Amino acid sequence: MLTRLSLRLRIFLFFAALAAGAMVALAVGLTLGYRRLGDPEILSAFIQGGTVAAFVTLGLITWVWYLFDTNVAKPIDILAGALRARAHADVTGEMDAAIARYLGDLAPAATATAQSLAETRNALAEAVARETTRLNDEKARLEALLSDVPVGVLLCSGDHALAFYNGQAVDLIGVGNTAPGLDRRLFDYLREGPIRLAHDRLIATGDPDAASDLLVSTVSGARIMSARMRLMVGEGGSVPGYVLTLRDVTADMASHARREALLAEVFDRVRRPAANLSTLIEVIPEGAAAPGRLDHALREEVGHLAQAVTELSKRHDDGRDDGWPLSMTRDSDLLEGLRARMEADGLTVETQSADLLLRCNGFEIIALLAGLAEEMGKAGLAKAFHLVVQEDGTGGLISMIWNGPSLPMGRLSEWLDAPLEPGLADVLRRSVLMMHSTEIWPETMPDGLRRLSLPIPQARRVVRRPAPISRAVVYDFDLLSKARNAKVQDARLEDLTYVVFDTETTGLLPAQGDEIVQIAAVRIVNGRRVDGEVFDTLVNPRRPIPLSSTEVHGITDAMVQEAPFVEEVVARFHKFAEGAVLIAHNAPFDMEFLRRQEAQLGLRFDHPVLDTVLLSAVVYGQHEVHSLDALTHRLGITIPEEARHTAIGDTVATADAFLKLVPMLAGRGFGSFGEVVTEVRRHGRLLKDLNQQA
């Protein structure tokens, strides 16, 4: 209860209680004294003396309370209010220390605390402002990058609501004059079937790096697009969101189809005259076509022409299956896109997939079958279709089934000679069949239903997707404004690019034939280790690995049997480390293995070199142990047991140790590379300096 009262009131109550106690004590003392004397004549004297003593005591206590309240309690309250104002109300004015002159060091301490708080707040505000500016700059750069990306980019939540889209996406999925909007459902713009299936597939894999390629169509079915979906790692919520990139390949398809049609027409027109010319030359007697050598040259050139036309035509036919248009397309995506196109034409569609991947140009197949279905609807043959994909040997079979009159082969042939799309007058539907090396035909099924059959020569069952190669976006926009130093010696340590590396070997004696069995490296750019830039490979040493070495690094002869040889690996590593400062722990040992290959490969490892053994000696002194285990322990870096004495494990540990040593070196006054190298040379008795003496 008392804690709720103000400080001044509690002090007042304390002095009031003290006064009351003094009065009680005075009264008790006088009463006991009077009783001991037992003389009634002195009673009045006792009363007068007690009254005077009481007033003097009360006055004295009141005076002390007043002084304490004025010079202690009240200043404390004022100081508390001033500190609270500076802590919560962002007051920045100076505090009046004179009001607390009787409180000893409390006032100066409070003033210093308030000043420190103000300085800290200002420094924090400046830091926040700098980071906000930097983040805004990066945001602007990323927005500029995404605006220039030639594909549509959508960012969706787990319940398929739009959280981000770029300008290209507006052009691709906008419905009429209505552009997409944030927090709107994606399915207001795109057909939901393929998207839901792809989202469920990615979640089922449990692989955060997996991606799924699919075909999507707008709700109107007017546009079919190629898409790729990738889950957002670390996204909150029970269902992860995803990034969907969209590419409208209709124009690409049209351009490719026109080119293919033109090439087919060129070869068809050239092939016949060339064959006729060759036949004509053969029936003309030798010497009759032209005199002497001219006749021989003419026959020879005609033969070359016919052979060239035949070879080029064959190469063109063989290469049709190797280009961009024929890719592995999921049958469910194909059927969903086909359903969208057919329903847009007023047809009723049911689908049945077989979980196959069809090697085809999904856009052309959709355009072909949708066009034929539209023709059948106009001809009154069918308005409702059942689309079925089934396995057919090593390929797949697409069936378009209906209940109604049969489709004459002659009419189908007429339709196949029509343009694939209204805007592609030069591309016929029949060219799609030629592109896929297939045919299409109508037939009657045993149950009396009609079917249009389209075989796809190559198909395979869908299997679990292997883990994709990580393609994380790697960036550091600070590099755009970073000032470059012409000389490494004058460069600050934070401004240099480093390659930290480590090797595992067959032994410790390179001069006696020991060789590298594994080498790993990471890059440090702008003061941070770049996760996506890693060099890590086993090496075939062309000699047995001793059991004693295998016990250290765990690499066996069987593991390196198919690995590249040291010459190839060293050349690749030299390219990886180009323009960087090399860093290693006990660098002379690792560098000797690399420099042994210089003469054979015709290259030089003339990079600047730093050794974390020597850097540790600069920071901690030569009396300390400077092994990698000791250094990482001092710096609070943990090397997993399974990673110790592996090239990549020791490399990452060395890189992290170096990044922690850099500010410690700067704190000792060694901020530039040259200053560090000069200091390192003082510790040459530990390890030799590998840099050229200036």
Side-chain angles (χ1 to χ4, degrees):
M1 177 180 176
L2 290 177
T3 57
R4 298 182 180 179
L5 303 177
S6 68
L7 174 64
R8 296 180 68 188
L9 180 57
R10 278 182 281 173
I11 290 176
F12 171 77
L13 292 176
F14 170 78
F15 278 97
L18 182 63
M23 294 302 100
V24 171
L26 180 61
V28 171
L30 290 174
T31 301
L32 292 176
Y34 174 74
R35 287 181 178 179
R36 174 167 291 188
L37 293 175
D39 186 359
E41 294 181 359
I42 63 173
L43 176 62
S44 60
F46 264 87
I47 293 175
Q48 292 176 0
T51 302
V52 171
F55 277 106
V56 170
T57 302
L58 286 175
L60 181 61
I61 291 175
T62 302
W63 180 63
V64 172
W65 164 78
Y66 175 77
L67 292 178
F68 198 90
D69 180 70
T70 303
N71 298 296
V72 176
K74 186 176 180 181
I76 289 177
D77 268 354
I78 295 174
L79 279 179
L83 287 175
R84 190 174 290 109
R86 282 152 181 78
H88 303 296
D90 199 19
V91 175
T92 58
E94 292 187 3
M95 294 176 53
D96 184 8
I99 62 174
R101 56 186 176 276
Y102 296 112
L103 297 180
D105 199 40
L106 180 60
T111 302
T113 301
Q115 183 177 356
S116 176
L117 177 63
E119 292 174 353
T120 302
R121 179 177 285 139
N122 291 335
L124 179 61
E126 291 176 2
V128 170
R130 285 196 303 270
E131 287 301 305
T132 301
T133 302
R134 185 181 66 82
L135 290 175
N136 286 334
D137 290 342
E138 291 199 2
K139 176 175 176 288
R141 293 185 182 112
L142 288 173
E143 288 176 347
L145 288 175
L146 287 174
S147 66
D148 290 336
V149 170
V151 297
V153 181
L154 303 174
L155 185 62
C156 301
S157 63
D159 57 356
H160 309 284
L162 285 173
F164 169 87
Y165 56 87
N166 65 351
Q168 285 73 12
V170 174
D171 297 334
L172 291 174
I173 69 173
V175 179
N177 295 324
T178 304
L182 294 179
D183 204 30
R184 293 182 181 273
R185 285 176 58 79
L186 178 62
F187 304 141
D188 293 340
Y189 311 97
L190 297 177
R191 305 272 297 195
E192 66 178 280
I195 296 174
R196 285 193 182 275
L197 290 174
H199 191 222
D200 293 341
R201 284 197 302 267
L202 289 178
I203 294 175
T205 63
D207 183 356
D209 294 324
S212 180
D213 295 319
L214 61 152
L215 292 177
V216 297
S217 61
T218 55
V219 289
S220 66
R223 177 174 283 155
I224 308 294
M225 290 169 285
S226 172
R228 167 165 287 195
M229 179 184 293
R230 187 183 293 272
L231 295 180
M232 290 189 294
V233 179
E235 178 69 12
S238 57
V239 181
Y242 55 90
V243 177
L244 189 69
T245 56
L246 303 172
R247 185 167 66 96
D248 184 7
V249 296
T250 305
D252 296 341
M253 180 190 74
S255 176
H256 179 85
R258 288 193 185 96
R259 185 168 59 252
E260 286 296 321
L262 177 61
L263 287 174
E265 182 179 356
V266 167
F267 283 119
D268 184 60
R269 290 188 178 185
V270 172
R271 187 184 296 113
R272 293 181 183 178
N276 293 338
L277 184 59
S278 179
T279 302
L280 181 62
I281 287 294
E282 289 177 0
V283 300
I284 297 176
E286 291 190 13
R293 294 181 179 178
L294 185 58
D295 181 83
H296 176 73
L298 181 60
R299 292 176 183 275
E300 189 174 276
E301 291 302 320
V302 169
H304 289 330
L305 175 61
Q307 183 180 359
V309 170
T310 302
E311 290 180 357
L312 290 174
S313 179
K314 184 177 184 304
R315 286 168 59 186
H316 172 253
D317 292 338
D318 293 341
R320 280 178 172 175
D321 293 343
D322 299 331
W324 160 79
L326 300 187
S327 58
M328 302 306 291
T329 302
R330 196 175 291 265
D331 62 349
S332 58
D333 296 345
L334 185 80
L335 292 177
E336 188 63 27
L338 188 54
R339 179 210 290 265
R341 285 288 299 272
M342 294 172 66
E343 288 181 347
D345 294 330
L347 304 176
T348 303
V349 182
E350 294 181 357
T351 61
Q352 179 182 337
S353 64
D355 212 14
L356 294 177
L357 289 173
L358 306 174
R359 192 166 193 270
C360 65
N361 184 323
F363 309 96
E364 291 186 349
I365 294 296
I366 289 174
L368 171 64
L369 293 178
L372 293 178
E374 183 183 4
E375 298 283 7
M376 294 173 65
K378 292 178 180 178
L381 298 179
K383 289 289 186 179
F385 296 88
H386 186 200
L387 302 175
V388 179
V389 176
Q390 61 193 73
E391 199 169 2
D392 184 24
T394 59
L397 179 66
I398 303 176
S399 300
M400 192 161 63
I401 303 171
W402 72 94
N403 185 9
S406 62
L407 172 61
M409 192 64 195
R411 180 173 291 186
L412 175 61
S413 182
E414 292 178 5
W415 291 345
L416 291 176
D417 290 331
L420 180 65
E421 294 279 11
L424 302 176
D426 298 331
V427 182
L428 304 182
R429 292 169 178 156
R430 192 179 301 277
S431 64
V432 176
L433 302 178
M434 296 173 58
M435 175 69 65
H436 292 80
S437 302
T438 188
E439 294 291 340
I440 189 171
W441 65 88
E443 58 183 337
T444 301
M445 301 172 65
D447 56 3
L449 296 177
R450 314 295 182 178
R451 177 170 68 182
L452 198 58
S453 300
L454 175 63
I456 302 297
Q458 298 182 44
R460 63 176 175 83
R461 288 191 171 276
V462 175
V463 295
R464 180 176 174 85
R465 180 187 182 93
I469 298 174
S470 176
R471 293 181 173 85
V473 176
V474 180
Y475 70 93
D476 189 337
F477 289 131
D478 290 340
L479 295 174
L480 298 175
S481 57
K482 178 179 172 182
R484 304 288 180 175
N485 283 292
K487 294 179 61 178
V488 174
Q489 294 290 326
D490 300 330
R492 296 190 312 154
L493 292 178
E494 304 86 35
D495 292 339
L496 293 171
T497 296
Y498 303 92
V499 167
V500 186
F501 75 103
D502 183 60
T503 61
E504 301 297 335
T505 63
T506 59
L508 305 177
L509 303 172
Q512 297 183 16
D514 281 323
E515 197 54 86
I516 297 173
V517 296
Q518 186 183 26
I519 182 170
V522 297
R523 279 169 55 85
I524 294 176
V525 180
N526 216 24
R528 69 183 182 95
R529 176 162 57 85
V530 185
D531 292 335
E533 299 185 15
V534 178
F535 185 96
D536 185 17
T537 181
L538 293 170
V539 182
N540 188 335
R542 293 194 181 95
R543 58 164 292 176
I545 302 175
L547 180 60
S548 59
S549 298
T550 299
E551 290 175 350
V552 175
H553 49 57
I555 300 172
T556 64
D557 291 327
M559 294 171 62
V560 299
Q561 186 174 1
E562 302 297 328
F565 294 124
V566 66
E567 297 83 6
E568 176 187 344
V569 172
V570 170
R572 286 166 46 200
F573 174 75
H574 186 273
K575 185 64 177 176
F576 181 81
E578 188 175 35
V581 176
L582 293 178
I583 297 177
H585 196 80
N586 192 8
F589 174 80
D590 298 293
M591 291 301 299
E592 187 168 355
F593 281 95
L594 297 178
R595 286 175 173 168
R596 288 179 60 213
Q597 307 297 326
E598 289 181 334
Q600 182 176 352
L601 297 175
L603 49 81
R604 290 192 62 201
F605 282 92
D606 53 1
H607 307 66
V609 180
L610 289 178
D611 193 316
T612 48
V613 172
L614 297 176
L615 297 181
S616 176
V618 171
V619 172
Y620 293 105
Q622 296 190 14
H623 62 279
E624 288 282 3
V625 177
H626 302 295
S627 66
L628 184 58
D629 287 322
L631 176 60
T632 53
H633 177 73
R634 284 196 294 268
L635 294 173
I637 298 169
T638 301
I639 308 177
E641 186 61 33
E642 64 275 10
R644 185 66 176 104
H645 289 300
T646 65
I648 189 62
D650 288 356
T651 294
V652 171
T654 303
D656 292 344
F658 173 74
L659 289 174
K660 290 195 174 186
L661 287 171
V662 167
M664 299 172 73
L665 290 167
R668 295 200 56 188
F670 309 122
S672 70
F673 181 84
E675 291 170 344
V676 170
V677 170
T678 300
E679 181 63 20
V680 158
R681 287 172 180 154
R682 296 178 52 205
H683 301 268
R685 69 183 184 88
L686 286 179
L687 290 173
K688 68 177 181 179
D689 175 35
L690 297 178
N691 298 285
Q692 298 287 338
Q693 295 288 335

